[in-house]
Amino acid sequence: MREQNSHTFSRILQGLLGLGCCLAASHCVIKKTTSFESYGLTTVQIQMDSENLSQLNSTIWAKRPVNATIKVTGEEIPVVLNYAGKSTLDAFKKSYQVEILDGRKFQGRTSFRLSSQAIDPTALRSQVGFAVYQELGLPSPTAQPVSLYLDKDFQGLYQLIETVDEEFFALEGTPITALYKAKYSNASFDIASANNLDEGLTVRYGPEGYTDVKFLIEHINALPDPEALAKVESILDIDNFMTYTAATVLLKNWDGFVNNFFLFRRKADKKFGFAPWDLDRVYEPEPTRRPYEPDKSLWGYNRISQKLLQVEPYRKRYLDTLQQSFQQIPLSRIFELIDQHINSQASAFAADRVLSARGNSIQAQGQVMKDVASVWHKQIQTELTNKLEEYP
């Protein structure tokens, strides 16, 4: 199903839409052109009148939507769009959320995210990260690089990413009853957070409150009590959680344990699961951002992993899951994914005045990712080998 949907989304990207980044010249350096150079990627264009452009740029932090038209291969599609994200709203290149108007759908989708990846100087991390989550069998959006224009002004290299919403899960063949987005690094699942869940989770679909999440938190924090364990098993997809945690550890995605993930609840069995989002910190070299910590980095950093993995059978099961993840996605596969995306978007990266500033090259940035991944994999795998000897 995931592979089929990935192909579906690629068709959408190639025949559907495009969107501008940095819609005012005062916010970024743009390149005038008399033709639409694709730089080897899907070329997308946005058209917007001056009044809507002015409104968009005067309400940056309010994220107020405005009307626009997307034009691809001669077809004009009416949309509304607004600025998206949190920490990148003051960046030169901003991200955008696109909603298609008039009840129209393309391959079952009505919304998309156009991501500037402003934090990521490689422009590679989301593509590599989402691919790893997908290959490990987790629900994960597809990201594709595009060459973006506002009218005839080249805006740069962007990632067009599926929105994670009820439509996304319906296309996955997994209808949901609830969807929450982790935010502000406050989605820790500890008891203290139970009374202030709106500070760490935003309701994106389903109930107005957090009753089901509070139920999960209450019983997670009562572990290893046998009754609590039975309750947790009834409401949490433990295989999904362990695979998500293993993939997040594998990718050194320190920002994905208490922030930047989706918590969904399946309709069929009423169990919670995890899906990734916003992977611009994957294999990040910044040493202050969750560096390797012996006997800590292996397990993840939220209350669910802390409590659930105290239960010995689950601790051993998680270690096996982590080992299988490293076997399925070895370092050579990470390098292959990095090289694949370098080759596909090198020309667009070089033409992007922000990404290529100060002589940066995508090849050099990709090597930074490889260097970080090499050290990280060695550290985790050494500790994993030691732990597996403790739990044969």
Side-chain angles (χ1 to χ4, degrees):
M1 180 66 72
R2 178 70 253 169
E3 181 179 358
Q4 178 181 354
N5 288 332
S6 296
H7 293 161
T8 295
F9 191 66
S10 293
R11 291 196 297 271
I12 296 172
L13 294 174
Q14 293 168 2
L16 170 59
L17 60 100
L19 178 58
C21 81
C22 205
L23 292 174
S26 61
H27 290 287
C28 68
V29 180
I30 57 178
K31 179 181 179 181
K32 293 281 187 178
T33 182
T34 57
S35 62
F36 295 106
E37 171 62 53
S38 70
Y39 301 106
L41 303 175
T42 299
T43 300
V44 296
Q45 181 191 23
I46 186 171
Q47 298 174 330
M48 182 186 305
D49 64 35
S50 58
E51 183 177 347
N52 283 330
L53 178 59
S54 177
Q55 180 178 331
L56 184 70
N57 285 316
S58 63
T59 59
I60 293 174
W61 294 94
K63 302 181 181 179
R64 186 173 299 167
V66 299
N67 291 315
T69 299
I70 289 168
K71 187 174 182 181
V72 180
T73 61
E75 183 180 7
E76 294 187 352
I77 304 165
V79 302
V80 293
L81 61 90
N82 59 273
Y83 288 120
K86 176 172 62 73
S87 60
T88 58
L89 285 175
D90 59 352
F92 286 160
K93 293 175 64 175
K94 296 173 176 57
S95 296
Y96 297 85
Q97 184 66 27
V98 182
E99 306 288 336
I100 300 169
L101 293 174
D102 301 334
R104 296 168 63 177
K105 290 188 177 183
F106 293 84
Q107 301 293 339
R109 297 312 315 263
T110 59
S111 66
F112 303 87
R113 174 66 60 91
L114 186 76
S115 178
S116 69
Q117 298 292 285
I119 293 175
D120 177 14
T122 73
L124 300 168
R125 289 188 167 93
S126 283
Q127 294 168 88
V128 172
F130 284 134
V132 168
Y133 282 106
Q134 287 173 11
E135 290 183 20
L136 291 175
L138 291 160
S140 177
T142 299
Q144 179 175 330
V146 296
S147 291
L148 191 66
Y149 287 82
L150 171 61
D151 292 325
K152 292 186 177 181
D153 297 332
F154 180 59
Q155 303 294 294
L157 171 62
Y158 268 65
Q159 304 299 325
L160 199 56
I161 303 175
E162 288 180 279
T163 302
V164 177
D165 54 17
E166 62 273 23
E167 283 185 345
F168 170 83
F169 288 99
L171 287 172
E172 286 279 314
T174 308
I176 60 173
T177 60
L179 182 67
Y180 305 90
K181 169 68 171 60
K183 62 180 182 179
Y184 304 143
S185 298
N186 289 332
S188 60
F189 300 98
D190 58 19
I191 284 292
S193 69
N195 294 323
N196 301 287
L197 284 173
D198 59 337
E199 296 180 3
L201 294 169
T202 297
V203 179
R204 287 294 182 87
Y205 177 73
E208 294 183 2
Y210 299 88
T211 302
D212 52 358
V213 182
K214 289 181 179 179
F215 181 91
L216 174 64
I217 290 174
E218 175 187 350
H219 293 290
I220 280 291
N221 284 275
L223 292 176
D225 177 78
E227 286 190 22
L229 182 58
K231 295 291 187 181
V232 170
E233 290 173 341
S234 73
I235 196 173
L236 178 66
D237 182 341
I238 293 175
D239 285 337
N240 166 280
F241 172 74
M242 289 187 175
T243 302
Y244 175 83
T245 302
T248 305
V249 168
L250 186 154
L251 287 164
K252 196 178 183 285
N253 181 22
W254 62 267
D255 200 30
F257 294 112
V258 295
N259 189 41
N260 281 330
F261 63 81
F262 285 94
L263 180 69
F264 63 89
R265 195 172 186 191
R266 289 194 299 258
K267 184 177 182 179
D269 59 8
K270 309 301 183 186
K271 290 187 177 183
F272 280 114
F274 287 72
W277 186 249
D278 201 357
L279 304 182
D280 52 11
R281 302 288 193 178
V282 164
Y283 295 131
E284 186 180 54
E286 175 60 53
T288 62
R289 303 291 192 174
R290 290 289 188 187
Y292 172 73
E293 297 178 85
D295 205 33
K296 291 184 179 180
S297 296
L298 198 72
W299 310 105
Y301 290 96
N302 63 35
R303 191 65 169 171
I304 298 180
S305 61
Q306 289 172 0
K307 297 294 289 186
L308 185 65
L309 300 183
Q310 287 180 2
V311 182
E312 187 167 330
Y314 283 132
R315 192 175 181 88
K316 175 60 167 65
R317 185 166 150 190
Y318 169 72
L319 292 171
D320 289 341
T321 299
L322 185 59
Q323 182 184 46
Q324 292 164 10
S325 298
F326 273 92
Q327 290 172 344
Q328 185 174 340
I329 313 288
L331 191 60
S332 60
R333 176 56 179 157
I334 299 298
F335 284 10
E336 180 183 351
L337 286 168
I338 292 172
D339 288 338
Q340 171 188 326
H341 293 298
I342 284 175
N343 292 335
S344 71
Q345 59 200 57
S347 295
F349 186 102
D352 187 306
R353 302 290 182 86
V354 175
L355 287 171
S356 62
R358 300 180 182 178
N360 287 336
S361 73
I362 195 171
Q363 292 82 4
Q365 292 293 340
Q367 187 60 51
V368 171
M369 281 186 68
K370 290 181 179 180
D371 292 343
V372 174
S374 296
V375 173
W376 182 258
H377 279 227
K378 182 178 180 179
Q379 290 170 329
I380 295 296
Q381 288 180 308
T382 297
E383 185 171 353
L384 176 59
T385 298
N386 294 335
K387 293 300 180 185
L388 285 170
E389 292 177 355
E390 295 180 23
Y391 299 92

